[in-house]
Amino acid sequence: MMTSDPDNLFDRPDAPIRPFEFDADVARVFPDMVRRSVPGYAELVGLSGLIARRVARPGTACYDLGCSLGAVTRAMLRQVPATVRIVAVDNAPAMIAGLRDRLADVPGAERIELICADVEAVRIEQASLVVLNLTLQFIPPERRLSLLQGIRAGLVPGGALLLAEKIRVLDDRNGAWLTALHEDFKRANGYSELAIARKRAALERVLVPDSIETHEQRLAAAGFIEVTRWFQSLNFVAWIAWT
């Protein structure tokens, strides 16, 4: 379990609301933030490791694109064969530094390559599994297909992409209901009305969700031949897309 300071970043009414950024302040509270903000996050991470156990092939690589503090990276490390190389990528120096600290005493951590770079700039090579866990939603929409095409090109035959995203629901009534329930989830986890409203305003400037239909159409356009929706908790959904 990752240690974390409590997330109270959005409880100051006098602080200006800036676009959400994965900076040192967010890295400091990130484990607490995702636990209290993303329903089903622990199960999603654990199941991602189990999927890696089934999908990863000896002599190939697994990529965690937008790895943050490496919850999925470490879940994969615990499950995949020793000959599998793991590449963890994030463009936030604070996240890479935090992950490096968390790997200091982890057996087998020498198999993990840490890269501080935009995920779009990383060439995927000889991969049996690529993970985009709540990452694609922060990429400008017009560049998302290109990123998926690059991932598809770097996967070995029979390899897979694991994609998890917050979704936009096209039906207004159902979308409003899921949004309200998600906010109830945050309240139940101790977030104040102020923090919920201020974080929403900060995220709306950088996080652009897509509908389930858009995601599945884009995966097909990128060249994936079979797509399975395997997880949903409120408005968070995960797919596995096969070559």
Side-chain angles (χ1 to χ4, degrees):
M1 178 69 68
M2 289 191 286
T3 59
S4 173
D5 289 350
D7 176 21
N8 55 12
L9 297 183
F10 295 93
D11 280 318
R12 289 178 50 196
D14 57 331
I17 299 178
R18 300 186 177 91
F20 188 89
E21 183 179 356
F22 292 95
D23 56 14
D25 286 334
V26 169
R28 176 173 52 82
V29 304
F30 189 72
D32 186 58
M33 177 183 287
V34 293
R35 178 185 66 82
R36 295 165 62 198
S37 299
V38 180
Y41 183 77
E43 290 77 12
L44 177 61
V45 169
L47 287 167
S48 296
L50 295 179
I51 287 172
R53 181 179 180 179
R54 285 189 169 271
V55 175
R57 299 184 184 181
T60 66
C62 291
Y63 287 76
D64 185 4
L65 301 182
C67 62
S68 64
L69 295 177
V72 171
T73 296
R74 288 176 293 137
M76 292 195 295
L77 180 66
R78 289 190 291 269
Q79 297 290 347
V80 301
T83 58
V84 172
R85 183 171 58 98
I86 299 174
V87 182
V89 182
D90 204 287
N91 67 355
M95 291 295 189
I96 291 295
L99 176 51
R100 184 174 287 110
D101 290 343
R102 284 165 168 76
L103 292 174
D105 299 318
V106 174
E110 67 278 358
R111 292 160 48 199
I112 300 175
E113 179 184 0
L114 303 183
I115 300 176
C116 188
D118 289 340
V119 297
E120 297 171 272
V122 174
R123 183 179 177 86
I124 307 300
E125 296 181 301
Q126 198 61 20
S128 54
L129 181 66
V130 175
V131 178
L132 282 170
N133 185 34
L134 306 178
T135 297
L136 192 65
Q137 59 202 20
F138 292 101
I139 302 296
E142 67 274 11
R143 303 209 304 259
R144 293 175 186 178
L145 176 58
S146 177
L147 174 59
L148 295 183
Q149 289 171 328
I151 291 170
R152 171 64 184 85
L155 284 164
V156 299
L161 165 66
L162 195 163
L163 173 67
E165 289 280 286
K166 183 178 182 180
I167 60 162
R168 178 173 64 90
V169 179
L170 297 178
D171 179 271
D172 290 342
R173 181 177 179 180
N174 287 331
W177 188 85
L178 280 175
T179 296
L181 191 55
H182 185 205
E183 292 187 352
D184 286 344
F185 173 84
K186 294 178 183 179
R187 293 183 188 99
N189 280 316
Y191 279 116
S192 66
E193 297 298 328
L194 176 68
I196 291 170
R198 289 174 64 83
K199 186 179 180 184
R200 184 195 313 117
L203 279 170
E204 283 175 349
R205 305 184 186 192
V206 295
L207 190 161
V208 182
D210 286 316
S211 67
I212 285 175
E213 294 81 1
T214 296
H215 278 296
E216 294 180 354
Q217 290 166 7
R218 186 188 292 122
L219 288 166
F224 292 96
I225 60 173
E226 185 176 354
V227 178
T228 300
R229 203 183 311 160
W230 61 271
F231 178 91
Q232 180 166 358
S233 185
L234 301 185
N235 47 355
F236 291 84
V237 175
W239 299 261
I240 188 164
W242 300 91
T243 58

